[in-house]
């Protein structure tokens, strides 16, 4: 979809100057739309173009979903999205990747770039999100890529024992997707993973929003987990491993992070340092206190 297919307004946000791109009819009232944007009552995803970056918001200026560098559309911006790629340090060649939550597709593009032979399936519950697919330069579906609209819980439950990496980055206007904050979802996620599969989850906002999810992780995955605090944006990234014998060998993990950083733009070493500091099978207090 070309830029001409969007309704473009001057950004009404002091904290996000530039232009706002909306998927609205050309004859929509810009005054009404601007008022809804300012009030945080606009109910659809929108994009702010500041000249250097495209930023996808989920209906509110407080809810950033994806940031894309217009000069380097394939690059992952610093922050939680880079930390999500830590799965490469534990499974550098996954065959099947499942993604719940698409947004602007930054993680999808990163996985395609790093793992051209992997099969990727991605689902997002909001069809409006997929409307930004072309603007954010996501590849088209092919034999190794399938993007669809649907419920993430139903999507995950339809898989059993074949997923090597399950990536969860699912939020709505209230924060962490409430449909995933359930024991049932975590049990289905565990069943979907292959014998050495892992789940990596972005956690943001109040800890109460994903309290049941964390308790279920501890039970279903038997505390086979690592937590990584993300200093740049206050998020936490959680990795949960299906293999009951999994134990991180930190000097090897550090060596793999250094090698990956040398050949890519993924700066994972600092995340490994923080994960090691917190420790294997531990949930830090900062995770529960996130706001």
């Amino acid at each position: 979809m070309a830029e001409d297919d969007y309704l473009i307004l001057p950004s009404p946000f002091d904290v996000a100057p530039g232009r706002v791109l909306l998927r609205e009819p050309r004859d929509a009232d810009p005054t009404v739309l601007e008022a809804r944007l300012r009030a945080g009552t606009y109910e659809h995803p929108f994009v702010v173009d500041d000249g250097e970056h495209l930023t996808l918001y989920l209906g509110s200026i407080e809810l950033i979903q994806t940031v894309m560098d217009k000069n380097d559309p394939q690059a992952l911006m610093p922050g939680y999205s880079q930390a999500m790629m830590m799965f490469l340090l534990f499974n550098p060649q996954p065959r099947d990747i499942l993604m719940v939550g698409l947004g602007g597709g930054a993680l999808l593009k990163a996985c395609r770039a790093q793992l051209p032979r992997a099969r990727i399936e991605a689902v997002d519950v909001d069809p409006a999100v997929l409307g930004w697919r072309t603007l954010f330069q996501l590849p088209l579906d092919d034999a190794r890529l399938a993007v669809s609209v649907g419920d993430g819980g139903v999507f995950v439950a339809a898989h059993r024992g074949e997923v090597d990496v399950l990536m969860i980055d699912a939020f709505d206007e209230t924060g962490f997707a409430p449909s995933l904050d359930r024991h049932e979802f975590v049990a289905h996620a565990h069943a979907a993973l292959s014998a050495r599969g892992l789940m990596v989850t972005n956690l943001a906002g109040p800890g109460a929003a994903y309290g049941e999810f964390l308790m279920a992780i501890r039970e279903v995955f038997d505390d086979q987990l690592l937590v990584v605090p993300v200093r740049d944006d206050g998020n936490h990234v959680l990795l949960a491993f299906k293999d009951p014998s999994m134990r991180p060998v930190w000097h090897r993990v550090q060596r793999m992070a250094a090698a990956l950083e040398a050949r890519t733009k993924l700066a994972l070493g600092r995340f490994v340092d923080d994960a090691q500091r917190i420790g294997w099978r531990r949930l830090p207090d900062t995770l529960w206190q996130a706001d």
Side-chain angles (χ1 to χ4, degrees), residues 13 15 37 40-48 55-67 80 103-104 129 170-176 204-206:
F13 308 114
V15 297
L37 287 166
T41 58
Y42 186 73
E43 63 271 22
H44 305 299
F46 63 89
V47 170
V48 172
T55 303
L56 178 65
Y57 296 88
L58 297 182
S60 167
I61 196 67
E62 306 296 329
L63 298 174
I64 297 177
Q65 219 299 323
T66 300
V67 180
Y80 87 89
V129 168
F171 293 83
D172 61 16
E173 65 278 1
T174 65
F176 189 70

Side-chain angles (χ1 to χ4, degrees), residues 4-9 22-33 36:
D4 291 344
D5 294 319
Y6 302 103
L7 179 64
I8 301 177
L9 305 175
L22 307 172
R23 289 179 54 84
E24 295 285 350
R26 290 301 184 86
D27 59 355
D29 187 333
T31 304
V32 172
L33 292 172
R36 288 164 57 196

Side-chain angles (χ1 to χ4, degrees), residues 96-102 108 119-125 141 145-163 165-168 170 179-180 182 184-185 188-189 191-193:
D96 290 282
I97 299 174
L98 214 60
M99 296 182 172
V100 177
L102 179 66
L108 186 152
R119 172 166 172 75
I120 302 172
E121 296 179 74
V123 65
D124 200 290
V125 71
D141 285 11
L145 175 64
V147 177
S148 61
V149 176
D151 180 271
V154 174
F155 188 68
V156 170
H159 295 75
R160 185 164 292 272
E162 77 270 18
V163 177
V165 177
L166 172 58
M167 305 185 79
I168 310 293
S179 64
L180 307 186
R182 301 197 310 261
E184 179 185 22
F185 172 78
H188 286 154
L193 293 174

